[in-house]
Amino acid sequence: MERHLTWTVDKSQEGKRLIDWLREKGCSKQVLSVIKNHEGSLLNNGEKPYFRDPLQAGDVVELTLPQEQDTSTIVPVRQEFSIIYEDEDLMVINKPGNLPVHPSVNHFENTLANGVSWLCRQRNDYFPFRCVNRLDGGTTGLLILAKNVYSSAILYEQMKERKIHRTYLAIVSGKLTESGTIDLPIGRKSESVIERCVDKTHGERAVTHYEVLEARTDQTLVKCQLETGRTHQIRVHMQAIGHPLVGDFLYNPHALREERPLLHSWRLAFTHPVSGDEVYFTAPVPADMQGWKRFQPDKMKVT
């Protein structure tokens, strides 16, 4: 469906060129391209403006994003997932384990993208599959989808600037007794298109903060907060300190291939792309990660 946005120019913005003001509002090159290619998509006080026009205090600027066309090759196939939150601009999904996010050669129809495509067709409300924070196929929990070109531009910029705060829960092998920070660069492992490793020569900087929530003799429940967002970051970092994730067949030699890494995208905090409100979402702990004292109702506090 169309998305209609309205803003009123305040006194502090008076005299600024319309195009500069739109860029400050988060309009990317793609959004500006939509405006240029769709007659009537941008109005100022009910009339078609020019990008170089100076603004006056009290001007009412209206942006209408047209219904986007279905140009994807994603096959609509029903999948099981739950929606934690949804409005006109974004959707927050609680992804189950062992469900890849995007189609690939080996997973052409059994992905989250297939399921979202199927849901859109049931609603007759199509939007391209724009995943803001990506999760590995085995990882459960929160994932953000942007529902229009404007919200995606702002949310992607928040990810780039590390303003989307992501908190994970993980169960790792062995007994960890102290919390800490892992600051080790990560790169692609040679001769592998999937596996990553600590690479102090060619890797990109990666920082993971972890907190011990509960320790047993052979396993530890930890909370991880990402400062960066490298592929397999938590999985590689926990392996690097000698505590690979339980069930992680790529990085834990004791895991079986049919298992999944016990990693859960538990909490997200970010600024809503349109309202500007600070929003927070939490996903229930999946069944295969429950059974810890920490998850008793009186102890499961968001911190």
Side-chain angles (χ1 to χ4, degrees), residues 124-145:
N124 195 28
D125 177 23
Y126 176 78
F127 62 90
F129 187 78
R130 300 184 181 95
C131 183
V132 178
N133 63 310
R134 300 184 179 185
L135 300 180
D136 297 335
T139 303
T140 58
L142 298 174
L143 182 146
I144 310 168
L145 300 185

Side-chain angles (χ1 to χ4, degrees), residues 35-266:
I35 293 172
K36 291 178 181 179
N37 293 325
H38 291 83
E39 186 70 23
S41 62
L42 184 68
L43 299 175
N44 186 12
N45 298 324
E47 297 181 357
K48 179 182 177 180
Y50 294 96
F51 278 152
R52 295 184 179 274
D53 286 350
L55 294 171
Q56 303 296 322
D59 282 352
V60 177
V61 180
E62 299 174 79
L63 172 61
T64 300
L65 302 173
Q67 171 68 53
E68 298 180 80
Q69 299 300 309
D70 185 355
T71 58
S72 73
T73 58
I74 298 174
V75 179
V77 180
R78 183 171 185 173
Q79 302 291 341
E80 295 298 324
F81 62 89
S82 59
I83 298 173
I84 298 292
Y85 174 83
E86 183 178 11
D87 60 23
E88 294 178 282
D89 301 297
L90 59 91
M91 178 185 290
V92 179
I93 287 173
N94 183 15
K95 188 184 83 68
N98 295 323
L99 180 68
V101 173
H102 296 92
S104 62
V105 174
N106 296 323
H107 299 281
F108 188 67
E109 296 184 354
N110 62 326
T111 72
L112 181 63
N114 298 115
V116 172
S117 179
W118 181 89
L119 179 63
C120 286
R121 280 155 180 76
Q122 299 305 303
R123 298 175 169 183
N124 195 28
D125 177 23
Y126 176 78
F127 62 90
F129 187 78
R130 300 184 181 95
C131 183
V132 178
N133 63 310
R134 300 184 179 185
L135 300 180
D136 297 335
T139 303
T140 58
L142 298 174
L143 182 146
I144 310 168
L145 300 185
K147 294 178 65 175
N148 58 61
V149 65
Y150 179 72
S151 63
S152 69
I154 294 177
L155 288 168
Y156 284 137
E157 189 64 22
Q158 286 188 35
M159 276 294 291
K160 180 180 177 181
E161 295 179 356
R162 302 175 184 174
K163 292 181 178 178
I164 296 181
H165 304 290
R166 294 159 290 164
T167 303
Y168 291 76
L169 297 175
I171 298 176
V172 303
S173 301
K175 185 175 183 178
L176 261 173
T177 56
E178 294 184 357
S179 304
T181 294
I182 306 169
D183 187 347
L184 293 171
I186 293 176
R188 190 186 299 274
K189 192 171 184 178
S190 60
E191 301 180 358
S192 175
V193 296
I194 299 175
E195 200 168 349
R196 301 300 196 268
C197 63
V198 171
D199 186 341
K200 296 183 179 180
T201 303
H202 304 291
E204 296 181 284
R205 188 173 185 232
V207 180
T208 303
H209 307 283
Y210 67 93
E211 177 186 347
V212 174
L213 299 181
E214 185 177 345
R216 296 175 178 173
T217 303
D218 57 345
Q219 294 181 358
T220 304
L221 173 67
V222 297
K223 180 175 71 174
C224 298
Q225 292 184 292
L226 297 181
E227 187 172 314
T228 56
R230 308 303 175 199
T231 300
H232 295 180
Q233 179 171 316
I234 293 174
R235 300 165 66 182
V236 172
H237 272 174
M238 298 314 293
Q239 179 203 40
I241 64 170
H243 296 275
L245 269 63
V246 173
D248 192 347
F249 65 86
L250 268 182
Y251 302 106
N252 189 337
H254 302 293
L256 302 176
R257 193 167 186 86
E258 61 269 19
E259 296 178 317
R260 79 168 187 94
L262 293 185
L263 182 64
H264 179 60
S265 176
W266 178 51

Side-chain angles (χ1 to χ4, degrees), residues 18-27 32 35 42 51:
L18 175 59
I19 189 167
D20 296 329
W21 184 83
L22 288 170
R23 286 170 177 157
E24 289 180 5
K25 284 291 184 183
C27 291
L32 296 176
I35 293 172
L42 184 68
F51 278 152

